[in-house]
Amino acid sequence: MRKRLLGALALSILAFSILIAQPLAAQTPAVTLSVQLARTETELRAVDRALDGRVDADAQKALRMRALAAQQVAKDVGAALDDQITLLDARIAGLGPAAPGVTEAPDITAQRAALTQQRSALDATAKRAGLASVEAQQLVDEIEQSREQQFNEKISAQAASPLAPTFWQTLLASLPRDIKRVGLFLKQGIDQIGSARHGLPWQALLGLVLGFVVFLPVRIWARALGQKVLVEGAPGRRVRRSANALWRVIIGTLCPLLAAMIVMQGLRWSGLLPLRWAGMGDAVVLATGFSAFTAAVSGALLMRRQPSWRIAAIDDETAARVRPLTWILAGLSFGTILLSAFDTAIGASQAAQVASQTLIALLHLLLIATFLLVLGRLRAERSAQDDAANGTASAGVGIVLLVVWVLVFIASTALLLGYIAFSLFTAQVIAWAAILGATVYLMTAAVDDVATSAFTRSSRLGVTLTRALGVRGSVIDQFGVLLSAVLRLVLVCVALGLLVSPFGGSGGLAAVFGRLGVLAQGIEVGGVSISPATILRGIVVLGIGLALTRAFMGWLENRYLPITDLDGSGRNSVSLVARYVAIAVAFIWALASLGIGVERVALLLSALSVGIGFGLQAITQNFVSGLILLAERPIKIGDLVRVGNDEGDVKRISVRSTEIELADHSTLIVPNSELITKSVLNKTMAGPLGRIQIKFSVPLDTDAGQVRTMVQEAFASDAAVLDEPPPKVFIDGLTEGRIEFNCFGHVANQRAVYAARSTVLMTLLDQFRAAGIDIGTVPQRLELIAAGTDLTPHAP
């Protein structure tokens, strides 16, 4: 631990010195640059010689750091030399070439020769710097390959199975020697303590007291203080909740870590931590910090004692059952680090180290299996209560649990077969993935809460932007959601990079799984290799692409589009187009993973274009018509339309057809081509207002003014009839001794026309009946004409 901290500090100092020296590089004399380059070349040769022998992981990290530092120095020297060469070229160009047949002044000739000589020297040094940079990169690559090779050898190594007698025989045979090593370790440490300690170890006692104060009272006080400040000052419940979770993680990790460091430092100052035990002291600090982080993250996620502050959608019973398992995981992490450090400190035998790894792997697998059983039982108890809204989330959790069960089975089988390191690696990766997943969940929730709370139209910042810059409120909301999505995506990418970093590089992991088995080479068709491995890879890539599409559509439909100014139909259009584009990208990605490029897909589509044109003409026509509907939007979701003799509300528009809900609650599915090529009556396209029309006739001797007053009163008596525009009463004409009236009124929407018209008619019938006014239509006369009668009109 100390070596890593010192190495990181050295690298930071070197990087800082490079940043300071970089602006002055162009002004550095060539001699100084040459000296720096010579030192860099010497450093690279030293790193190269060190790699000739077998070095451990810590030494490889140090050598890699030295090679990277030397490479940076070589690049800086090369850049400075290039600048000086550029200046020399400008000076040489200013002198110009020697004119033939013209005698130059001796000083000009001497100056040109000196500048040319300087340029040649600088050019040679610059080439040396470039060569040194290349050599440094080669050394870094060699170190990386060596680390991957050692990691692969470690993971793929097979020992005796714990079920075989050989395993226990080897362990018992090395047990006496290991006991002696433990005794020697303890004796040497005690002897060093006895020779170094003088008087009362007040430093150790002070360290213990301060460590206890930091671990318990300060931690409790800081947690309560943070919660109080958040309650009083944080804007919004969501921000308070996520900030409280992160504060609990920070306090829960730093306080135990600082307490362990204080205690260890007190033991060092008092002479109670000898040099022989220094590694164990560093391991205690590291184990305390990691286990405290594990406990703090799980506690902040579960919030067993403060369910109102809980971020995750976890019920109280689940939190109560899972919380003890997280404490066991923290304790197991603490014991794992200490046991590994103890084996290294005493120089334990290979059999003892294998036994320790077997014990750690077994405990991890038992804990993971217990956790899975608890979650499975909880899901089984609540399966009957899950509604349709939670079906997708439940299915996703089920898939994750199934994958973890498969990994546990593989790791258990590997443990029984003697692949101890691989089993331990798999178990620790699962545990670390759970801890890292909980951390990322808390951080993404916090980022989302802060971004969407700060950048919203109702926040203080949003109001300021709206008033000062004239930014629309929807734009501020959209920026907050987009910022949240970008930051969360960055966190997820960082988490994926950290997933296997504590156990080895990603290249090592890929090589390990490559060693587990090599699939068949397959066959090659048209330059494309088809094998089980490529097919499986394509299926996995397609699954990942569709899963990303589903997640993107969920975010687009549930988070982004609702805060835009688009109406329901516009959001539906954007959603449909985005869905099909994302699905097309996912399929292209899957084809690319199979080695089938876009140009091959285009060639295939061009070959099938004739068949598509004839066989799928109707589908293609409807698809194109659907895109036109989504783009031009002559018909939107919620419009009241009439197609032929059917009238209803538009409920859904897809790229193939449109669904219209009729008055009897049945659904009319209309191909999109019908809506494009034929006449469609859209009653709500121009505006939502609906018009009532009532036509009737009264006898000629009736008071027309009284009838008009009655009609106006009937319109006014119905609350559904609008005052603006006002109702109108017109006389259409005088026919057959009757006065024909044509009356109009307006309602808020087309769907209220039928009911309002019925109400007005019932009111008019009652009023006319009470006033004795005959209401009806123009009377018709029926004449029976005998056969053979001449129907030709005659002049009078």
Side-chain angles (χ1 to χ4, degrees), residues 365 406-416 419 422-424 426-427 430:
L365 292 176
V406 172
L407 293 178
V408 169
F409 175 77
I410 294 174
S412 302
T413 305
L415 182 65
L416 296 178
Y419 292 96
F422 175 76
S423 177
L424 177 61
T426 304
I430 295 174

Side-chain angles (χ1 to χ4, degrees), residues 92 95-99 104 107-118:
I92 294 174
L95 293 176
E104 286 185 329
D107 56 342
I108 299 296
T109 303
Q111 187 176 6
R112 182 184 294 109
L115 291 177
T116 304
Q117 184 178 3
Q118 291 180 13

Side-chain angles (χ1 to χ4, degrees), residues 31-74:
V31 177
T32 305
L33 293 176
S34 180
V35 172
Q36 292 180 359
L37 181 59
R39 292 175 181 175
T40 301
E41 292 173 340
T42 303
E43 178 71 7
L44 291 176
R45 286 193 294 269
V47 173
D48 191 12
R49 287 193 302 269
L51 292 176
D52 291 338
R54 186 174 180 86
V55 292
D56 57 5
D58 293 335
Q60 285 180 344
K61 291 181 181 179
L63 292 176
R64 182 178 182 273
M65 189 182 303
R66 291 169 60 184
L68 288 175
Q71 183 184 29
Q72 185 62 43
V73 173

Side-chain angles (χ1 to χ4, degrees), residues 315-526:
D315 57 275
D316 296 341
E317 185 176 358
T318 301
R321 292 193 188 181
V322 173
R323 183 55 175 163
L325 298 178
T326 61
W327 285 111
I328 297 176
L329 177 60
L332 183 58
S333 302
F334 185 87
T336 299
I337 297 175
L338 285 187
L339 185 57
S340 300
F342 184 73
D343 288 341
T344 304
I346 68 173
S349 62
Q350 183 67 25
Q353 294 182 11
V354 171
S356 300
Q357 293 178 359
T358 303
L359 177 62
I360 295 172
L362 180 61
L363 293 177
H364 275 85
L365 292 176
L366 289 176
L367 179 60
I368 295 171
T370 304
F371 182 80
L372 293 175
L373 290 175
V374 170
L375 288 184
R377 184 172 300 176
L378 289 171
R379 294 182 71 243
E381 292 175 357
R382 290 168 174 78
S383 59
Q385 303 175 1
D386 289 343
D387 51 8
N390 296 330
T392 302
S394 180
V397 173
I399 293 175
V400 173
L401 295 180
L402 178 60
V403 171
V404 177
W405 269 118
V406 172
L407 293 178
V408 169
F409 175 77
I410 294 174
S412 302
T413 305
L415 182 65
L416 296 178
L417 294 177
Y419 292 96
I420 310 299
F422 175 76
S423 177
L424 177 61
F425 171 78
T426 304
Q428 288 182 337
V429 166
I430 295 174
W432 172 239
I435 300 172
L436 189 62
T439 306
V440 172
Y441 183 87
L442 293 176
M443 295 185 67
T444 53
V447 165
D448 181 60
D449 293 342
V450 173
T452 55
S453 298
F455 292 95
T456 182
R457 67 183 72 189
S458 59
S459 65
R460 183 177 301 177
L461 178 61
V463 173
T464 302
L465 292 175
T466 302
R467 294 178 178 177
L469 303 178
V471 181
R472 289 185 298 145
S474 61
V475 175
I476 299 175
D477 294 340
Q478 295 173 42
F479 178 78
V481 174
L482 292 175
L483 178 63
S484 170
V486 171
L487 294 178
R488 286 187 293 170
L489 183 61
V490 171
L491 288 175
V492 172
C493 293
V494 172
L496 292 177
L498 292 175
L499 183 58
V500 294
S501 59
F503 316 103
S506 59
L509 180 63
V512 169
F513 286 101
R515 283 177 170 234
L516 294 179
V518 179
L519 295 176
Q521 295 296 327
I523 59 175
E524 186 171 335
V525 178

Side-chain angles (χ1 to χ4, degrees), residues 484-572:
S484 170
V486 171
L487 294 178
R488 286 187 293 170
L489 183 61
V490 171
L491 288 175
V492 172
C493 293
V494 172
L496 292 177
L498 292 175
L499 183 58
V500 294
S501 59
F503 316 103
S506 59
L509 180 63
V512 169
F513 286 101
R515 283 177 170 234
L516 294 179
V518 179
L519 295 176
Q521 295 296 327
I523 59 175
E524 186 171 335
V525 178
V528 179
S529 179
I530 300 177
S531 65
T534 56
I535 294 175
L536 180 61
R537 182 173 62 222
I539 294 174
V540 171
V541 171
L542 180 60
I544 294 175
L546 294 179
L548 293 176
T549 299
R550 188 172 187 177
F552 169 72
M553 293 307 302
W555 171 82
L556 182 68
E557 295 175 351
N558 300 327
R559 294 297 306 276
Y560 181 71
L561 290 179
I563 62 173
T564 60
D565 294 334
L566 299 175
D567 55 8
S569 179
R571 293 198 296 267
N572 178 74

Side-chain angles (χ1 to χ4, degrees), residues 783-791:
E783 296 183 1
L784 298 178
I785 303 175
T789 303
D790 184 11
L791 300 179

